[in-house]
Amino acid sequence: PFKRYVEIGRVALVNYGKDYGKLVVIVDVVDQNRALVDAPDTVRSQMNFKRLTLTDIKIDINRVPKKKTLIDAMEKADVKNKWENSSWGRKLIVQKRRASLNDFDRFKLMLAKIKKAGIARQELAKLKKETAA
Amino acid sequence: MAAKRKTPVKTRNPDLIRGVGKYSRSKMYHKRGLWAIKAKHGGDVKKPLLNKRKPKPTKLRASITPGTVLILLAGRFMGKRVVFLKQLTSGLLLVTGPFKINGVPLRRVNQSYVIATSTKVDISGVNVEKFDDKYFAKEVEKKKKKGEGEFFEAEKEDKKTLPDEKKEDQKTVDASLIKSIEGVVDLKAYLAARFSLKSGMKPHELVF
């Protein structure tokens, strides 16, 4: 029934608060509600589990590793690439890109969508003609 | 500098509430004894000092630089995307369509009715020195004598045509602008299109 567990080395996404959207690693469990959490670019701190969403990625570390060990372990497990190639990670990247679009970019996007739809419709019409003939 | 009094002057006109005094102008005239002061000095009273404050020119938003594409938010051309040229001494922004692209002529626009996008157009080939607020002043009409019969005729032309000189100005300003606009892909179509809020667009989340 459960596939993603809270364990030392579990990579999680922060879904609330100052570090919203960051990937962090659970390095220790404080109590039933809180975990000690660390990331290469943040200070090691405690976070409530409610602020985290577990991902599929897990790395191999001991309890509360030193920053350098943590970074090395993350490199070895290639967390960054695994995340950016996962469908969840890719979706987040697309969302961020869409939110940062300029007014001009949105206009160009609209033109591209219309063009794509036009080409698809042309192909469809061609196929329809072939089956009808 | 006048010498400071030992005791500060007590106001003769206490406030009922902020902005409203207890005594009217005529009562205050009598209270201050201006009738006597005038009689003493033969009609000359000390006048309060003139207010020489000059209002500062409107501060231009950091996002608006020459060549920025602006979105007009109000007026006849609302929604039109337009190129910013310079800020005039009155604080208003000088703006042009360019006219051939979207029908917006050389026009003044208030900064508050404008969204600045981050799209910039190369404006180096344009000379905007000659345009100032006087250029846009309304033409003064010569007063005609009122004639009984003329009231019922249409004595003025319905439309006042733009003088050719202004049309030429528009063309020269737009010539170099249009060249730099055509250098960027899709920019011409972008300026020709109007902006509108569509379903799902949240203005506070949009990046312009």
Side-chain angles (χ1 to χ4, degrees):
Chain A
F2 289 105
K3 297 224 189 78
R4 300 172 187 162
Y5 294 94
V6 170
E7 46 200 332
I8 297 180
R10 174 65 61 185
V11 173
L13 185 68
V14 179
N15 59 25
Y16 183 91
K18 193 165 63 88
D19 298 318
Y20 181 86
K22 288 213 186 121
L23 279 182
V24 290
V25 180
I26 298 176
V27 296
D28 199 359
V29 171
V30 175
D31 60 15
Q32 201 202 359
N33 294 318
R34 288 177 296 161
L36 192 59
V37 127
D38 202 356
D41 54 348
T42 52
V43 164
R44 193 196 300 151
S45 61
Q46 59 92 9
M47 226 182 236
N48 194 315
F49 286 120
K50 292 186 177 180
R51 292 197 174 197
L52 298 171
T53 336
L54 303 177
T55 68
D56 288 329
I57 308 172
K58 182 175 177 313
I59 64 177
D60 195 12
I61 48 171
N62 289 325
R63 194 177 70 91
V64 194
K66 289 218 191 317
K67 201 62 157 219
K68 202 156 80 71
T69 334
L70 177 68
I71 294 178
D72 288 337
M74 286 185 93
E75 293 281 314
K76 197 164 142 232
D78 205 14
V79 170
K80 194 159 187 278
N81 282 330
K82 268 203 216 147
W83 177 246
E84 284 171 6
N85 295 330
S86 70
S87 57
W88 183 358
R90 274 182 287 138
K91 264 189 269 179
L92 284 191
I93 291 174
V94 169
Q95 276 176 16
K96 260 197 217 132
R97 179 77 183 103
R98 285 208 182 125
S100 70
L101 282 181
N102 197 345
D103 189 44
F104 188 24
D105 292 334
R106 266 174 266 132
F107 181 78
K108 287 191 270 191
L109 179 70
M110 176 193 71
L111 292 182
K113 276 194 186 168
I114 292 174
K115 198 163 180 195
K116 184 175 106 172
I119 296 173
R121 219 169 291 154
Q122 270 186 330
E123 286 301 316
L124 182 63
K126 245 190 269 177
L127 291 173
K128 274 205 194 147
K129 232 169 62 170
E130 283 172 21
T131 53
Chain B
M1 288 279 279
K4 282 236 155 137
R5 285 172 180 247
K6 293 249 171 77
T7 56
V9 184
K10 205 177 64 168
T11 47
R12 289 188 238 260
N13 193 356
D15 277 345
L16 293 176
I17 4 163
R18 187 172 78 111
V20 181
K22 187 170 171 193
Y23 299 107
S24 68
R25 281 182 83 95
S26 48
K27 282 256 171 70
M28 280 310 293
Y29 182 85
H30 282 291
K31 255 184 178 273
R32 287 168 68 189
L34 289 177
W35 43 273
I37 298 177
K38 276 197 182 164
K40 188 168 165 198
H41 294 286
D44 279 330
V45 205
K46 263 203 267 191
K47 286 211 173 69
L49 290 171
L50 229 55
N51 184 3
K52 293 210 193 91
R53 179 174 171 268
K54 287 198 183 70
K56 281 196 247 188
T58 328
K59 194 165 170 204
L60 196 59
R61 261 182 272 162
S63 54
I64 303 180
T65 61
T68 316
V69 173
L70 308 174
I71 301 177
L72 301 180
L73 294 174
R76 181 161 171 221
F77 299 107
M78 77 175 127
K80 293 267 189 195
R81 297 169 171 121
V82 130
V83 179
F84 169 67
L85 297 175
K86 76 170 187 183
Q87 183 182 32
L88 303 169
T89 45
S90 63
L92 299 174
L93 312 179
L94 176 65
V95 128
T96 181
F99 187 67
K100 271 230 145 121
I101 297 182
N102 55 19
V104 180
L106 279 164
R107 201 169 203 266
R108 295 183 298 174
V109 125
N110 190 315
Q111 212 189 142
S112 311
Y113 298 94
V114 134
I115 295 180
T117 66
S118 46
T119 318
K120 311 261 187 236
V121 173
D122 181 22
I123 211 177
S124 49
V126 183
N127 184 357
V128 271
E129 296 295 313
K130 69 182 287 203
F131 302 113
D132 59 349
D133 290 295
K134 275 202 290 269
Y135 180 89
F136 294 99
K138 284 212 167 73
E139 299 277 322
V140 182
E141 294 162 19
K142 277 180 274 200
K143 283 198 167 169
K144 290 199 185 126
K145 282 230 179 96
K146 284 191 209 165
E148 290 275 333
E150 289 171 341
F151 265 121
F152 302 100
E153 291 173 19
E155 53 177 62
K156 294 194 196 113
E157 311 118 45
D158 282 349
K159 262 197 168 197
K160 296 205 182 74
T161 53
L162 253 194
D164 283 326
E165 193 200 39
K166 293 207 175 173
K167 291 190 191 168
E168 284 305 314
D169 288 338
Q170 181 77 53
K171 283 202 197 125
T172 41
V173 168
D174 288 353
S176 45
L177 257 186
I178 290 182
K179 241 188 279 167
S180 42
I181 287 172
E182 286 177 344
V184 185
V185 191
D186 289 335
L187 189 57
K188 196 162 174 208
Y190 174 63
L191 290 176
R194 279 209 207 220
F195 172 82
S196 68
L197 269 186
K198 310 236 171 48
S199 176
M201 290 174 117
K202 296 176 198 153
H204 69 294
E205 284 178 0
L206 286 179
V207 169
F208 282 101

